Amino acid sequence: CKTNIKTTAIELIKILARLSIATLVWYCGTGLFLTIEEHTGVCGIPKYHDKVSCKKNGFFWNGFDISGHCFLLVWCNLVITEEVHKLFECKNVKGSNLNSFDTFEKTINDIQSNIVTLIFRSLSCLIVLWDLMIISTNIFFHTALEKLLGTSIAIIFWIFTYKFIYRYVHKQVTKYT
């Protein structure tokens, strides 16, 4: 965890690359969900064979609607958690518990940056808000299978990207530097 300008620039590029990939996962995931709903659905009136014309004429389109809300909210919470963890990874004292709030508070104080503290607390509030939105979505929208699939797909993408791909790329980059 060096702190020279070159290292800082490389770390910034890594962060931007991860966030770009996270955005791409969101965009492709929700696009896939819309396509699945379009191909598995039927209109309340058999006269209309596609979702656009069905809804345009005021009828209900009934398709398998994987919960994009559960997907997006879980995906974003996992990405935020990973990125915050990486932010404090270099500043953390070896052997301390990153799951401890005291460690985060000590780390924030060690950095002595009001902006980092503000970002950390804002992201924490955002995570709590999105958890409340997940609860609301689970109470009022979608079938159990649609919610389970949306949540599961988010977790699978998170495992694939953060636990496999990024670790593999990091090992390869470290090996050659």
Side-chain angles (χ1 to χ4, degrees), residues 33-126:
F33 298 166
L34 292 172
T35 302
I36 290 171
E37 182 188 14
E38 173 89 28
H39 288 8
T40 61
V42 292
C43 187
I45 301 294
K47 175 180 169 181
Y48 303 105
H49 299 289
D50 64 290
K51 184 178 178 180
V52 174
S53 62
C54 179
K55 289 194 149 271
K56 182 179 171 185
N57 288 293
F59 297 106
F60 180 75
W61 183 263
N62 187 19
F64 187 70
D65 184 19
I66 298 172
S67 179
H69 291 101
C70 286
F71 169 77
L72 178 62
L73 295 168
V74 169
W75 172 249
C76 288
N77 276 351
L78 290 170
V79 168
I80 289 170
T81 303
E82 284 291 334
E83 293 302 323
V84 167
H85 182 271
K86 289 185 182 315
L87 176 67
F88 292 108
E89 207 170 58
C90 293
K91 305 296 180 190
N92 187 38
V93 180
K94 274 195 168 187
S96 64
N97 182 3
L98 273 178
N99 295 326
S100 164
F101 185 74
D102 294 334
T103 303
F104 275 111
E105 283 293 310
K106 183 180 181 324
T107 304
I108 289 171
N109 290 335
D110 289 345
I111 295 171
Q112 301 215 351
S113 170
N114 291 333
I115 221 157
V116 171
T117 303
L118 178 65
I119 290 170
F120 176 74
R121 290 186 177 155
S122 298
L123 289 173
S124 297
C125 290
L126 190 60

